[in-house]
Amino acid sequence: MQVLPCPEHHQANTPSTPHHANSVTTVTAARSQPLATEAGLSILKAGGNAVDAAIATAAALAVTEPCSTGLGGDCFLLYFEPEEKKVHALNGSGRSPAALTAERVRADCSVTDDEMPLLHVHAITVPGACAGWCDALEAWGSLPMATVLEPAIRLAEEGFPVAPVVAYHWAAQAELLRRNAGSEGAGLTELLVADGDAPKGARAPRVGEIWRNPTLAATLREVAAGGKRAFYGGRVGAAIARLVAAQGGLMTEADLAAHADAKPTLDPPISTSFGGVEVYEHGPNGSGIAALLALRILDGLEPSPAEHGHNSADYLHALIEALRLAFADTRWYVSDPEHCQTPVAELLSEAYAAARRALINPALAAADVRKGSPVAGSDTVSFQVVDRHGAAVSMVNSNYAGFGTGLVPQGCGFSLQNRGANFSLRRGHPNMLEPSKRPYHTIIPAIATKDGELYATFTNMGGFMQPQGHVQLLLNMLAFGMEPQAAIDAPRFCIGGISNGSESTGVVDLEARCMHLPHSTRPPYTVPRSCAVHHCRGLALPLTSPRNPLPPLTTAGAVARERAHDHSSPHLAGGR
């Protein structure tokens, strides 16, 4: 790739500060990357609808934030249709190779536990983003793909100044991209800058350098002209299969073509009532049910968490315990419904919520819930769009962990995700790796309605932080009456797994401003970003919180004396 020093006129546009909210009466898009927001707004101003603008934004983010998202990843989308006052869902996640089994992973990777390797080629699932974009436009869009992708193609061809946060994460993962130098079918410098002084002659682009990605532009032009079949069944699909095979993987061109030919997954979203609004999330294999289950548990808790005061110790204890119980269930039950049905109705029933609620001790933390707790972090992008008709889109697009596997198919301009790392290798587990199966998915867009009208559309990034962020954002707005921007800006917690990949220490990470507690400081941590659009009296308010970087986190620990069940059955009144 070619980069140039940033011209002075570009410097002012570098997204080095938070993108603050602006009120608009017709159209809006919320996103932490202004160039991507501009791409979405340009489509809205050209007469496109919310879905058109969402796909344009996703494509622009694939260009400007490849360290988080791209055509090598997956997407999930919720769409609010104002005419019918109905929320629709599109699942744009890919499946495992047809020839891949848990036994093969154990043999190839010398795995001795039940965890999938994070960065191995076997963690690659079929990239679902391209099909998701195409299917969304076909179902609800109003403009041709060529028009929708034009802003992203222009960014890739003409270049843009690399933002500070993006440059930081890009540099942090440069070695991952370099590790495959010389491998057959791998494009070393397609996501790096050729530099003779850098290790292996390549480095990440620096802040303010103009980054161009002509190979990604060519890929986007092929999608614009030929749709998803041009991607999965054409040059790009062949390049993906060739690279995976060279790395010892089993994904074939037939796996990719099968995804293009598969019927779009437009299953209805799942929802629950909380605080006077109806909250919608994706059903399994998405993990939005974790947020809904936590809300169900909190809704009947006595005393109400809000009575304790915002971010007080008692308030945080209630939310943390509810979310830990929710994760205990969802990390066991959430799976690909084509392979194993998740008991959604039972999990969200009042009887089951009451049984789980009864396990919360207001004075003590439950013992570490190993199997149900978050176990890994990820990098993701999310954004919201509302058009002049009141239609809204909440969307998340992700590689999972940064550049995913860091494998770049030759001539394609993107890296391949590692979403398959969320499979379990445990025999009998609903989410056990099987051929042609979708894994447990952390990316979860959300929409809330009130009396049938759009109330809010919101997301946050950060792997297993996402349902935690949804719950905290909604409590801030509904229980404490915060304005949406204040609700986003308020300090948050994140349960375990951020620093060391497990919750074996019983650690909860809190933003330092949250509480005055004795704490040990750590290096600054990038707290997951949030985006939301609050729809009020005909106004759509775009809100975003980059949260990169923040002061050190507070680390809070609690003595655990009561054990929560790992994966209590919703069919049992006792909650076991």
Side-chain angles (χ1 to χ4, degrees):
M1 291 300 97
Q2 179 186 14
V3 294
L4 300 174
C6 181
E8 186 174 345
H9 74 274
H10 276 302
Q11 292 279 12
N13 295 326
T14 301
S16 57
T17 57
H19 182 58
H20 296 292
N22 293 300
S23 176
V24 296
T25 57
T26 52
V27 297
T28 188
R31 175 59 211 140
S32 61
Q33 167 57 264
L35 293 172
T37 301
E38 182 180 343
L41 286 173
S42 71
I43 294 298
L44 289 171
K45 292 174 181 178
N49 63 22
V51 174
D52 300 322
I55 304 309
T57 302
L61 286 165
V63 177
T64 58
E65 293 193 29
C67 48
S68 296
T69 186
L71 280 167
D74 287 341
C75 70
F76 280 71
L77 178 151
L78 291 178
Y79 168 59
F80 175 77
E81 187 176 7
E83 294 82 5
E84 297 184 15
K85 302 185 188 305
K86 183 178 180 180
V87 178
H88 303 269
L90 184 145
N91 180 337
S93 63
R95 298 168 176 84
S96 58
L100 185 62
T101 63
E103 291 74 18
R104 177 63 181 264
V105 173
R106 289 187 183 279
D108 288 356
C109 305
S110 301
V111 175
T112 58
D113 56 21
D114 296 327
E115 300 296 323
M116 283 282 293
L118 183 65
L119 298 176
H120 194 272
V121 68
H122 288 329
I124 298 174
T125 49
V126 172
C130 181
W133 298 358
C134 296
D135 293 339
L137 285 184
E138 183 176 350
W140 307 299
S142 64
L143 297 177
M145 180 64 84
T147 301
V148 169
L149 293 184
E150 184 54 38
I153 293 171
R154 187 167 59 251
L155 279 170
E157 290 180 339
E158 298 178 3
F160 61 93
V162 176
V165 170
V166 174
Y168 171 83
H169 290 292
W170 210 322
Q173 299 176 74
E175 185 54 39
L176 176 65
L177 295 170
R178 280 192 292 260
R179 73 175 187 172
N180 299 308
S183 297
E184 180 184 350
L188 169 64
T189 58
E190 289 183 34
L191 290 178
L192 292 172
V193 179
D195 185 336
D197 295 329
K200 296 185 179 180
R203 62 168 174 83
R206 299 182 178 123
V207 176
E209 287 184 327
I210 303 302
W211 171 259
R212 296 186 177 94
N213 193 339
T215 54
L216 179 57
T219 297
L220 289 170
R221 287 200 179 278
E222 290 172 24
V223 175
K228 60 184 178 181
R229 285 176 176 79
F231 180 90
Y232 295 98
R235 175 189 66 87
V236 175
I240 293 172
R242 184 166 57 251
L243 173 58
V244 170
Q247 297 291 318
L250 301 180
M251 186 178 295
T252 65
E253 291 185 57
D255 290 317
L256 295 156
H259 190 79
D261 293 336
K263 182 180 178 181
T265 305
L266 303 175
D267 296 335
I270 58 177
S271 70
T272 194
S273 297
F274 181 83
V277 303
E278 192 73 12
V279 183
Y280 292 87
E281 301 270 4
H282 266 274
N285 59 314
S287 59
I289 191 172
L292 300 184
L293 180 54
L295 291 173
R296 294 287 285 154
I297 293 171
L298 291 168
D299 200 28
L301 201 60
E302 293 294 342
S304 166
E307 295 179 36
H308 296 304
H310 185 258
N311 277 354
S312 65
D314 288 338
Y315 172 80
L316 291 173
H317 174 73
L319 266 65
I320 289 167
E321 292 300 283
L323 280 160
R324 293 178 73 214
L325 289 167
F327 274 122
D329 288 325
T330 56
R331 282 296 279 159
W332 177 261
Y333 286 109
V334 170
S335 179
D336 184 345
E338 294 180 0
H339 289 253
C340 184
Q341 283 295 323
T342 300
V344 173
E346 291 87 349
L347 285 167
L348 296 180
S349 69
E350 175 52 35
Y352 184 66
R356 297 300 268 163
R357 196 180 297 132
L359 296 176
I360 297 179
N361 185 327
L364 294 173
D368 182 29
V369 187
R370 290 178 180 269
K371 194 176 300 164
S373 297
V375 295
S378 73
D379 291 282
T380 300
V381 297
S382 63
F383 48 92
Q384 320 300 313
V385 179
V386 178
D387 66 22
R388 62 191 179 280
H389 303 297
V393 169
S394 179
M395 188 171 180
V396 187
N397 217 105
S398 175
N399 292 333
Y400 189 41
F403 282 103
T405 58
L407 291 166
V408 181
Q410 191 78 46
C412 298
F414 60 83
S415 60
L416 294 172
Q417 66 181 357
N418 59 333
R419 185 60 63 175
N422 271 341
F423 278 120
S424 172
L425 297 178
R426 177 176 173 180
R427 190 176 301 279
H429 195 294
N431 187 44
M432 177 182 173
L433 171 63
E434 297 176 78
S436 302
K437 184 176 182 178
R438 283 168 159 160
Y440 177 108
H441 234 287
T442 57
I443 61 177
I444 52 170
I447 284 177
T449 62
K450 188 171 185 176
D451 300 325
E453 301 292 342
L454 179 64
Y455 174 76
T457 169
F458 55 97
T459 56
N460 61 273
M461 295 88 93
F464 291 96
M465 176 60 193
Q466 292 176 65
Q468 302 180 60
H470 289 196
V471 169
Q472 293 174 74
L473 177 67
L474 285 170
L475 264 292
N476 289 346
M477 293 173 64
L478 298 172
F480 294 99
M482 293 186 188
E483 292 296 321
Q485 187 67 62
I488 289 175
D489 292 340
R492 306 175 206 164
F493 67 82
C494 185
I495 300 171
I498 291 178
S499 60
N500 60 10
S502 72
E503 205 202 18
S504 58
T505 58
V507 166
V508 174
D509 290 316
L510 309 172
E511 290 189 62
R513 297 192 302 273
C514 190
M515 298 170 58
H516 297 290
L517 291 175
H519 66 278
S520 60
T521 58
R522 315 177 167 186
Y525 172 74
T526 302
V527 174
R529 294 173 283 181
S530 285
C531 294
V533 170
H534 181 58
H535 201 264
C536 179
R537 295 183 297 278
L539 299 179
L541 309 176
L543 313 159
T544 146
S545 174
R547 306 176 94 85
N548 279 303
L550 281 178
L553 300 178
T554 295
T555 300
V559 178
R561 298 179 182 172
E562 180 177 324
R563 182 168 299 279
H565 299 288
D566 284 337
H567 45 81
S568 300
S569 169
H571 304 289
L572 300 177
R576 294 187 295 174

